[in-house]
Amino acid sequence: MSAAVPEQGPSVPPRGRQNERARGGQRGRPSSRSGRADEPATRLAVLWVPDWPVAAAVADGVVSAHEPVAIHDARGIVAASARARAEGVRRGMRRRSAQGLCPDLVLVPIDEGRDVRAFEPVVQAVEEEIPLVQVMRPGAVVLAADGPSRYLGSEEAVADVLIGAVAGAGAEAQVGIADGQLAALLAARESTIVSPGRSGAFLADRDVRDLIHVTTTRQARAEMTEFTGVLRRLGISTLGGLAAMRSGQVAARFGSLGERARRLAIGGDGAPPSGRRGEPELTSTAELDPPAQRVDTATFVARRLAEDLQGRMMRRGVLCGRLRVRARTEDGAELVRTWRIEGALTAAELTDRVRWQLDGWLSGRSGRAPSAALTHLEIAAEEVSPAATVAEGLWGQVGRGERQAGRAALRVQGMLGENGVLAPVLEGGRAPRDRARLVTWGDEVSPLRDPKAPWPGQIPRPLPATVPAEPVPARVQDAAGVPVRIDARGALSAAPTRVEVSMPGVPRRLTVSRWAGPWPVHERWWAGGRPRHYLQVVEEDGVALLLAGDGEQWWAEGIYD
């Protein structure tokens, strides 16, 4: 643990200091240039486990600890192990670039559920030492620092206890303590304790893009990314530059998002603390009968509760700063976990957090699985605050029929399991099979590959109306009955005359009247992948197929209407 940040002179303009003196000079109260004192910042401690997605993959047995590992999503690398970083792999890098720098790199798709399951033992270990912790995201927890520092003796002692608790759970962590959430988060990344009232000076020289670290929802992350991009284009590249602006100017130009970002930049809280816990009308509960012992059964109920709670918040036009998940078992034991929320939660994101938490409890990874089956589940919105942009719009609302269909899908899902109902997601790709992906009903339906991006070599439109779940083997022959092959230059050995295939709705033997192609598609050639060639054939009666071949074998990839 490094020393506290030294005094670096006043962190607020003179007018703000005059206002502070008039109010008695309360500790940790940043002021604005408009002369209005902001709300006092909360003294927070943040525990951060570096590269947690990598650590979770190792804990889950997906990869070995000694391998160079990178966790990725559709956009690129999101986390890398120390060995991978030593080879030059960095967050935000494209996968192909990362593999070019580190040929032995092991790429693992991101899995937030895996991250939560593996993080639950760490949170439980921390709670044994200091209660009332809040999970920001897998790998980061936050708690109020004033209370623990009083009964442990100092903030340094709080940091030591937290680090020791995580070490006992088999992980390495860093702790930061500061005024305000952004300062505490960045202090944790440097393992630093920032002196009270010095968060503004600590943040002043940092890039405005560091504001993204406080976001915990997809919408909030996208909005903050766009906002910080606008600031940089306007020449405001540091948090100190944003903090120097008048509160009224920021609010008039950027609205509530800009004002919240400015409060964070001066070392304050994103929103003034309300001190309010979950209200009765913002709590959704359900009795589980029969009791739930499986994750998919509990998840079905959790999804219904999450949609109900999110609908109530939408109708009231409010956001929640914390989400509390509470479960009770048959023998009366209670399980409680609080998630800290920054931004507006969609129903899918709210469901994800509840589902991840249930998975973390029921998977038994912590060695302290529930003592009995779950009989009661409750989710509550806490720290409720108004949100001007949450209300439903006049157009584009979900219709009654769509809501009824959604409820019916949830009932079927409850009978068949979580993967019993799937929904299609259109994506980018070259082959018809690559342009659609099935996801579990209720999960996020955003594409992993941009469907609007250019895909050189993609199959031209129109696309097949029917694509089998798996390619169906086919035989393509010429007029003499000799199999048609593709040579190294991508040319057919002869004109296709007959096709034999076993597919529903298609004659077993087709006589080809017209054909087009082949079109070569060679993907991931550096990994040894063989090129594919696509061929369109039309039968005399109008049946049309899309065939794919690798030079020796043919498959039927789709049927045209």
Side-chain angles (χ1 to χ4, degrees):
M1 179 64 59
S2 61
V5 174
E7 297 291 331
Q8 302 174 8
S11 62
V12 292
R15 292 179 61 185
R17 289 193 61 82
Q18 292 171 4
N19 198 320
E20 180 180 346
R21 287 194 298 270
R23 293 176 176 266
Q26 298 182 36
R27 189 186 74 171
R29 181 186 292 271
S31 302
S32 68
R33 291 185 60 185
S34 62
R36 176 184 58 81
D38 290 304
E39 295 289 338
T42 306
R43 191 76 174 160
L44 296 175
V46 171
L47 181 144
W48 176 63
V49 182
D51 308 323
W52 178 252
V54 176
V58 173
D60 217 37
V62 178
V63 293
S64 300
H66 66 276
E67 295 177 306
V69 180
I71 309 298
H72 70 90
D73 60 10
R75 292 172 290 276
I77 305 300
V78 298
S81 65
R83 183 175 172 185
R85 289 198 302 273
E87 299 290 335
V89 179
R90 294 292 182 269
R91 182 175 180 173
M93 185 178 290
R94 299 293 295 259
R95 285 176 289 174
R96 185 178 300 181
S97 301
Q99 287 178 311
L101 292 170
C102 182
D104 297 332
L105 185 67
V106 179
L107 291 171
V108 180
I110 190 171
D111 184 345
E112 293 175 306
R114 177 184 64 216
D115 297 346
V116 174
R117 288 194 304 271
F119 196 53
E120 181 62 21
V122 176
V123 181
Q124 291 182 0
V126 172
E127 281 188 324
E128 289 184 351
E129 302 293 338
I130 300 178
L132 302 178
V133 301
Q134 302 170 34
V135 180
M136 291 188 60
R137 63 179 68 92
V141 298
V142 61
L143 63 149
D146 286 341
S149 64
R150 282 196 294 269
Y151 68 75
L152 289 176
S154 66
E155 292 180 340
E156 288 77 7
V158 173
D160 291 339
V161 168
L162 291 174
I163 293 173
V166 175
E172 296 182 0
Q174 299 175 193
V175 173
I177 302 178
D179 298 331
Q181 186 176 352
L182 178 61
L185 271 169
L186 297 181
R189 291 174 175 265
E190 298 181 4
S191 192
T192 297
I193 296 179
V194 181
S195 300
R198 306 306 306 157
S199 290
F202 173 73
L203 296 172
D205 295 331
R206 298 179 182 273
D207 197 308
V208 291
R209 286 176 292 196
D210 284 339
L211 287 164
I212 298 172
H213 292 306
V214 302
T215 59
T216 59
T217 67
R218 298 182 185 93
Q219 179 181 344
R221 191 174 301 115
E223 291 176 349
M224 190 64 77
T225 300
E226 182 180 1
F227 168 71
T228 55
V230 171
L231 288 181
R232 290 181 64 85
R233 290 193 293 273
L234 292 175
I236 305 171
S237 59
T238 65
L239 293 172
L242 175 60
M245 298 178 65
R246 292 180 181 274
S247 174
Q249 292 174 334
V250 176
R253 174 62 177 84
F254 299 107
S256 59
L257 174 62
E259 179 60 18
R260 172 172 169 265
R262 181 194 159 278
R263 284 195 298 264
L264 291 168
I266 65 176
D269 296 320
S274 63
R276 298 166 58 189
R277 297 188 64 83
E279 301 177 3
E281 63 270 26
L282 291 181
T283 300
S284 294
T285 63
E287 302 298 327
L288 306 182
D289 187 17
Q293 292 180 315
R294 294 168 44 190
V295 175
D296 55 354
T297 304
T299 299
F300 167 68
V301 178
R303 179 168 294 145
R304 177 166 54 83
L305 294 180
E307 291 184 345
D308 176 67
L309 182 62
Q310 199 266 351
R312 294 186 185 187
M313 290 193 292
M314 288 285 289
R315 288 191 293 272
R316 290 193 54 181
V318 297
L319 297 174
C320 68
R322 297 186 302 186
L323 175 69
R324 187 186 72 241
V325 184
R326 184 192 302 272
R328 188 162 54 243
T329 64
E330 283 184 299
D331 58 2
E334 281 199 349
L335 304 169
V336 182
R337 177 72 66 243
T338 301
W339 287 74
R340 194 174 185 94
I341 307 299
E342 293 290 337
L345 278 173
T346 65
E349 289 177 314
L350 201 158
T351 301
D352 283 343
R353 279 161 175 77
V354 181
R355 181 181 64 187
W356 296 338
Q357 191 56 60
L358 291 172
D359 199 4
W361 283 334
L362 296 174
S363 64
R365 283 289 309 276
S366 64
R368 291 183 296 170
S371 55
L374 303 183
T375 60
H376 177 85
L377 183 61
E378 171 186 304
I379 59 175
E382 299 182 343
E383 291 188 0
V384 176
S385 60
T389 59
V390 176
E392 295 181 354
L394 296 177
W395 294 276
Q397 299 180 11
V398 177
R400 179 181 178 184
E402 188 173 347
R403 287 195 297 268
Q404 291 176 338
R407 287 193 290 267
L410 288 176
R411 287 195 295 271
V412 175
Q413 203 170 36
M415 294 184 289
L416 301 181
E418 186 177 0
N419 295 323
V421 182
L422 304 176
V425 181
L426 298 181
E427 300 195 307
R430 295 178 174 84
R433 189 178 310 282
D434 300 333
R435 301 192 196 183
R437 177 172 58 94
L438 295 177
V439 301
T440 301
W441 177 266
D443 284 356
E444 184 187 7
V445 295
S446 60
L448 298 178
R449 299 182 298 270
D450 186 1
K452 298 180 180 180
W455 292 94
Q458 65 181 353
I459 304 303
R461 294 183 180 275
L463 297 176
T466 302
V467 178
E470 297 293 337
V472 179
R475 296 180 61 188
V476 181
Q477 300 174 339
D478 61 13
V482 177
V484 175
R485 301 186 183 278
I486 303 174
D487 61 23
R489 301 178 63 87
L492 297 178
S493 60
T497 303
R498 288 191 295 272
V499 176
E500 295 183 4
V501 64
S502 179
M503 295 179 68
V506 178
R508 184 172 180 82
R509 292 180 177 83
L510 294 83
T511 300
V512 178
S513 61
R514 298 182 301 277
W515 58 277
W519 296 281
V521 175
H522 196 180
E523 297 178 305
R524 300 186 64 84
W525 52 267
W526 61 90
R530 302 183 63 178
R532 290 173 297 167
H533 296 79
Y534 287 90
L535 179 69
Q536 292 174 327
V537 297
V538 181
E539 198 249 354
E540 291 178 340
D541 294 336
V543 177
L545 299 178
L546 176 66
L547 305 175
D550 61 1
E552 297 182 0
Q553 177 66 45
W554 290 94
W555 295 271
E557 288 274 359
I559 307 172
Y560 293 94
D561 281 346

